[in-house]
Amino acid sequence: MNKIDIVLGLQWGDEGKGKVVDVLTPRYPVVARFQGGPNAGHSLVFGGEHFVLHTVPSGIFREGTANLIGNGVVIDPVILMEEIRQIEAKGIDVAERLLIAKRAHLILPTHRILDAASEHAMGSSMIGSTLKGIGPAYADKTGRNGLRVGDILLPDFKERYEALKARHLKLLAGYSGFTFDINDYEQQWLEAIGELRRFTLTDSEIYVNRTLDEGTPILAEGAQGSLLDIDFGSYPYVTSSNTLAAGACTGLGVAPSRVGSVYGIFKAYCTRVGSGPFPTELFDEDGERLRQIGHEFGATTGRPRRTGWLDLPALKYSVMMNGVTELIMMKSDVLDGFDTIKVAVAYKAGDQTCGWGGFGMEDVTPVYREFPGWKTPLNGIREFDALPAAFRDYVRFIEQETACRIRILSVGPDREAIILREA
Ligand code: GDP
Ligand code: IMO
Ligand code: MG
């Protein structure tokens, strides 16, 4: 029996999951997304080209890999079809490589409008949602009203769609002063539903367990980040799914005993898009430098990402919550030019020192430890021992604090800019 390994983000998303999955895929015949939806934007860079995937797993560009969109994902067929067309334009037979869970829920055009109406009504306390309809779609799932991918095969699908849309329109009538027009998007959506029928729609939990029984390993790809988890993130400034490793079990239908490695990805600093607490956030020149050098603008929405120093208390919390077995550190090259690099090692709340409590992190001040910068480009380096000593010290400090080995270091956006270390 083989295991399912999990790749997930340990911060607030955009850690570089797309790149890591692309790099690891040659070891895995099957890659499976387990939660989230097109709020995700996973970037892959190879052969001088840059791709952003929203719903399709990041193994799609590797020949011989099956890519599964799991039951825990919410799918907007319009966005999925646009994505598929872009991949097909590169000569890839997506229908041959892609499987879609019949149990995955659909995002309706009215889910997107409800998302926007809710954000509009919240005013300055808005979540900063990507407006892709994620919250309303998961609300219908747990409220037991949702439509699933498998439903598109039913003869009365259109009636079911109309009934749910009518429910949504009633809800929307309660948002006074919010205007909308669904006609264009609805037309595209219905067409995309028709196109979806040409893909393999499957009972993915059976497929996943049978694949493991046959001795084939699977890589599960997370979306968003651990600190955006619906249960353990900084609620209500979170997404609407379980982004933690546990989400891979429910999002794919695998038992916890089948989980092997948990690869936890983090950036050498922090970013966050949208609202909510961010203790190490920088509002100064250093923050702007991180944003410009790291190209910290959303892959899905284009919004500037908030930036800050690495937050170890938050990282340790995520390592604990996910049972991370191996760490992967991204974007260290962004720090190349800094004279001094800071890392939060604890927080102060009043005159008390504390760690990441999770519940209410609004009023803490970080306690920093400073490291000398390495002032050398890391991008061309491929061996750990060839890295500057100051950088290796920084890496070892993080390993000590988290009690977890950093197995992979990424030093540039390209597939090739990677350093692999032995256990
Ligand atoms: P994801 O959502 O976790 O897949 O991450 P995103 O794709 O949203 O954001 C990560 C960004 O960083 C993308 O633009 C990547 O191309 C880029 N990237 C990934 N790894 C590295 C790295 O090691 N160095 C640099 N400079 N950029 C990287
Ligand atoms: P990837 O997979 C970063 C954030 C939004 C907002 C909150 C809720 O690319 O790392 P939602 O649309 O889910 O209702 O938004 O979550 N968010 C992300 N931030 N990366 C993502 O995905 C995100 N997906 C959602 O900005 O603060
Ligand atoms: Mg992203």
Side-chain angles (χ1 to χ4, degrees):
M1 186 187 89
N2 231 307
K3 293 279 186 183
I4 182 160
D5 295 339
I6 305 173
V7 164
L8 46 76
L10 299 177
Q11 295 160 324
W12 287 280
D14 303 325
E15 296 89 350
K17 298 175 289 293
K19 166 169 174 171
V20 170
V21 171
D22 176 53
V23 165
L24 294 178
T25 296
R27 302 187 203 166
Y28 296 90
V30 180
V31 177
R33 263 282 299 271
F34 60 88
Q35 46 66 235
N39 47 351
H42 295 181
S43 313
L44 283 71
V45 181
F46 56 88
E49 290 197 83
H50 181 193
F51 298 92
V52 180
L53 298 173
H54 301 290
T55 322
V56 173
S58 302
I60 197 75
F61 292 101
R62 303 279 195 176
E63 209 178 335
T65 304
N67 288 264
L68 171 70
I69 301 175
N71 59 278
V73 176
V74 286
I75 298 176
D76 182 330
V78 177
I79 298 177
L80 176 59
M81 285 307 151
E82 271 168 19
E83 212 174 320
I84 288 174
R85 274 192 287 276
Q86 279 171 21
I87 305 165
E88 284 177 339
K90 293 287 143 199
I92 291 168
D93 184 349
V94 177
E96 195 179 78
R97 296 186 189 176
L98 188 68
L99 300 152
I100 306 170
K102 285 187 189 161
R103 290 177 186 273
H105 278 247
L106 291 169
I107 301 175
L108 271 59
T110 37
H111 281 138
R112 291 162 59 100
I113 296 167
L114 281 165
D115 204 355
S118 162
E119 287 286 76
H120 179 78
M122 279 201 263
S124 60
S125 52
M126 72 197 310
I127 305 297
S129 146
T130 60
L131 303 180
K132 303 293 176 196
I134 305 296
Y138 277 114
D140 269 340
K141 174 179 176 173
T142 50
R144 296 162 297 182
N145 298 309
L147 284 178
R148 295 181 293 172
V149 167
D151 293 335
I152 71 172
L153 305 173
L154 300 174
D156 64 345
F157 174 71
K158 189 72 197 304
E159 287 85 75
R160 289 171 188 240
Y161 165 74
E162 291 294 344
L164 187 52
K165 178 180 140 189
R167 260 182 109 98
H168 292 164
L169 292 176
K170 271 195 205 142
L171 289 173
L172 284 164
Y175 289 97
S176 61
F178 181 80
T179 52
F180 59 90
D181 171 13
I182 68 160
N183 293 333
D184 276 1
Y185 204 79
E186 184 179 47
Q187 190 52 38
Q188 291 179 55
W189 192 88
L190 291 169
E191 281 167 22
I193 288 286
E195 286 185 70
L196 209 53
R197 295 199 177 97
R198 78 179 160 96
F199 291 89
T200 307
L201 312 181
T202 178
D203 292 309
S204 59
E205 67 280 20
I206 307 289
Y207 169 80
V208 164
N209 284 287
R210 194 175 289 154
T211 302
L212 293 173
D213 286 344
E214 285 165 359
T216 305
I218 299 179
L219 185 63
E221 173 178 1
Q224 291 78 55
S226 302
L227 304 174
L228 289 171
D229 182 271
I230 182 72
D231 280 280
F232 297 101
S234 42
Y235 192 90
Y237 301 106
V238 292
T239 190
S240 302
S241 62
N242 282 116
T243 57
L244 296 177
C249 293
T250 52
L252 291 171
V254 285
S257 56
R258 304 204 94 158
V259 174
S261 302
V262 179
Y263 298 102
I265 309 184
F266 69 102
K267 284 190 223 198
Y269 51 95
C270 283
T271 63
R272 177 166 198 167
V273 215
S275 322
F278 182 177
T280 63
E281 183 168 11
L282 292 167
F283 300 96
D284 59 5
E285 248 173 59
D286 282 339
E288 192 50 36
R289 261 179 98 184
L290 287 173
R291 181 153 40 246
Q292 294 303 329
I293 301 172
H295 302 291
E296 297 296 355
F297 298 88
T300 296
T301 58
R303 291 179 291 177
R305 294 174 181 151
R306 299 158 66 191
T307 53
W309 296 117
L310 182 64
D311 185 331
L312 275 179
L315 189 65
K316 286 194 226 177
Y317 181 80
S318 293
V319 167
M320 170 181 82
M321 295 306 292
N322 288 298
V324 169
T325 56
E326 289 159 81
L327 284 168
I328 302 182
M329 181 167 164
M330 312 297 288
K331 300 190 88 160
S332 312
D333 54 298
V334 172
L335 301 177
D336 283 352
F338 283 77
D339 292 326
T340 304
I341 288 152
K342 291 190 191 178
V343 181
V345 290
Y347 309 121
K348 282 255 180 224
D351 50 10
Q352 301 280 317
T353 301
C354 62
W356 179 269
F359 199 95
M361 296 304 295
E362 281 81 3
D363 297 319
V364 297
T365 316
V367 178
Y368 286 112
R369 175 161 169 170
E370 295 192 3
F371 289 81
W374 41 91
K375 311 283 283 180
T376 315
L378 301 182
N379 187 279
I381 302 175
R382 297 289 175 268
E383 299 289 331
F384 187 75
D385 292 339
L387 288 162
F391 177 67
R392 280 184 280 141
D393 289 345
Y394 181 61
V395 169
R396 291 202 182 100
F397 178 73
I398 298 167
E399 289 186 322
Q400 253 171 31
E401 289 284 311
T402 55
C404 203
R405 178 92 164 153
I406 300 180
R407 285 292 300 282
I408 302 178
L409 295 113
S410 172
V411 290
D414 197 275
R415 200 186 250 181
E416 308 296 328
I418 203 95
I419 299 169
L420 306 173
R421 286 168 85 199
E422 288 313 308

